[in-house]
Every structure is written in C-alpha cells, then in structure tokens.
Amino acid sequence: DAKTTQPTSMDCAEGRAANLPCNHSTISGNEYVYWYRQIHSQGPQYIIHGLKNNETNEMASLIITEDRKSSTLILPHATLRDTAVYYCIVREHNAGNMLTFGGGTRLMVKP
Amino acid sequence: DAGVTQSPTHLIKTRGQQVTLRCSPKSGHDTVSWYQQALGQGPQFIFQYYEEEERQRGNFPDRFSGHQFPNYSSELNVNALLLGDSALYLCASSFGVISGKGNTIYFGEGSWLTVV
C-alpha cells in the first residue's frame, strides 16, 4: 500500500502557482519524498525529491514540514502543459527500484 | 544523453500468445525495473534486475519473467497472455545501490500492449 495520501484532483489557473499537498505521516527517518508526474499516455517523469530541507530545481520546489509528515510540491507558474497526474512517493534513497504509486493528484491547469 | 528507451511502442497480441518487450536504460545506469500500468491506475512494480539477476519482485505470477543483458539492457517476457494483461508496460532505470550515486529512478515512455 502507498504510504502517502493526496487529493484526488485539483484545478489551477494558467500562470498561477500550483500547490500540491501530500501527507506521509508514517515516513521513517531514512525515507525521502519523491515527486513524479505522468502526462496522459506517457511514462512517469521525475520532478524532484527531498529528505528534510526544502528543495528547488528548474521544474518545481518541494517544501517539507519540519516534522516531515507532509510536503507540498509547488509549480511556480503553471502552464497548460503541466496538466498531469502528480504522484508523491516515499522511499529510501538507496533502496531498490520498487516505487509504490498511490492514486496521485490529477492537476488540471485551465486557461 | 539518451534516456530510457523502450520498444515496441504499441503492439497487439492474441490471448494465449507470448510477448517480449525491450528496454535500454539511461546512459550509465545499471539497474532496470519493470512496471505494469492498467488504464486509470498507477504503475505496479513487476520486478527489478541488477547484475543480470532478479533482485526484487512484486506480486505478479511466474508468467512474467525477465532478463538483463551484460550491457544492462533488459527484456520483459509475458507468457500465456490474458485479456487482463492489456496495459502500459513501463521500464525504469537507475544506478545500482552499491554505486553510492543515489538512485533516482527514471522511466521510459512505455510499451502499450493490447491483448485481444
């Protein structure tokens, strides 16, 4: 079973920030938070990952709460091409390749 | 830098037949895993290969088998196809755990299998 809980769907206006929440209350000390997204009919795309500090890359920012029980993925200026299913996954960074996907959040970016 | 590549992109098979799907990992990666994604669901882990051996396996029957070659590429074989095997099959690659490089997992675009 997935160890994360995400809203089923969210809408966001084009050009605005999209904030996608994820709860992972049972995360252990050596588990990272990973975010992937899947645009319709394509393979999942890696976005970002973090352990306890906030992270930023060219795609997004990841904000992890101090107790690490939840996190938020931020797309600073959402575009129509960001419409996708976003998956939040917890795993040990140097563990095997078994990712457990939950239902994800279906983000719809609207003009 | 080539990412994870898979072939074929689409194929149609008849119930009871066998299918082989192929994957080349991202450049430098030595660990390959396979996932099945049914329509409307998240990907489900099938198994992982490292150093040409199956290292982890998800809850899939023995009809699903695989192989990893010395160049790290991999094949997924499914025997005695069922209608329920119709899905998107995803290959993912990473560095092996021992490499110490951290093993963020990258996915290919998948192979769409339709069983009729």
Side-chain angles (χ1 to χ4, degrees):
Chain A
D1 290 338
K3 298 174 66 174
T4 62
T5 304
Q6 300 177 251
T8 302
S9 64
M10 295 181 62
D11 290 343
C12 177
E14 188 178 20
R16 304 298 293 267
N19 296 292
L20 292 90
C22 179
N23 288 322
H24 31 80
S25 59
T26 61
I27 192 170
S28 62
N30 58 349
E31 287 182 318
Y32 285 66
V33 180
Y34 281 77
W35 283 84
Y36 286 80
R37 72 180 183 184
Q38 189 170 24
I39 297 169
H40 183 62
S41 299
Q42 298 181 18
Q45 179 187 23
Y46 165 77
I47 301 173
I48 198 169
H49 73 275
L51 182 62
K52 54 184 177 181
N53 297 321
N54 297 338
E55 302 287 344
T56 295
N57 63 20
E58 65 278 4
M59 291 183 66
S61 294
L62 174 60
I63 309 298
I64 302 174
T65 58
E66 192 169 345
D67 63 8
R68 301 208 324 122
K69 292 184 177 182
S70 66
S71 61
T72 300
L73 179 74
I74 301 172
L75 308 178
H77 305 286
T79 70
L80 299 180
R81 289 176 294 180
D82 292 322
T83 293
V85 178
Y86 287 76
Y87 295 100
C88 170
I89 300 168
V90 298
R91 67 182 280 265
E92 293 182 26
H93 190 47
N94 285 318
N97 278 16
M98 181 176 174
L99 294 176
T100 301
F101 287 80
T105 296
R106 186 172 299 276
L107 176 68
M108 180 73 71
V109 180
K110 299 183 176 181
Chain B
D1 180 18
V4 181
T5 58
Q6 296 186 238
S7 63
T9 55
H10 294 81
L11 71 166
I12 300 174
K13 289 287 188 177
T14 303
R15 191 171 45 182
Q17 285 188 316
Q18 179 263 346
V19 67
T20 298
L21 308 177
R22 296 175 177 82
C23 172
S24 293
K26 183 177 169 66
S27 179
H29 285 181
D30 56 8
T31 300
V32 173
S33 53
W34 288 90
Y35 290 74
Q36 179 195 66
Q37 186 173 22
L39 204 59
Q41 299 183 17
Q44 299 292 312
F45 176 80
I46 302 175
F47 43 53
Q48 171 197 339
Y49 277 82
Y50 172 68
E51 293 186 332
E52 302 180 46
E53 290 189 13
E54 183 182 298
R55 301 290 180 169
Q56 282 182 288
R57 189 179 183 92
N59 187 25
F60 280 82
D62 292 345
R63 297 187 298 110
F64 290 78
S65 64
H67 188 76
Q68 185 179 34
F69 299 94
N71 67 352
Y72 308 124
S73 67
S74 176
E75 290 182 348
L76 165 66
N77 300 293
V78 186
N79 294 322
L81 285 167
L82 305 174
L83 297 179
D85 295 331
S86 295
L88 176 66
Y89 288 85
L90 296 159
C91 175
S93 75
S94 70
F95 291 112
V97 171
I98 298 175
S99 74
K101 297 180 182 180
N103 64 341
T104 297
I105 298 167
Y106 295 89
F107 286 81
E109 293 301 324
S111 294
W112 282 98
L113 170 66
T114 301
V115 182
V116 297

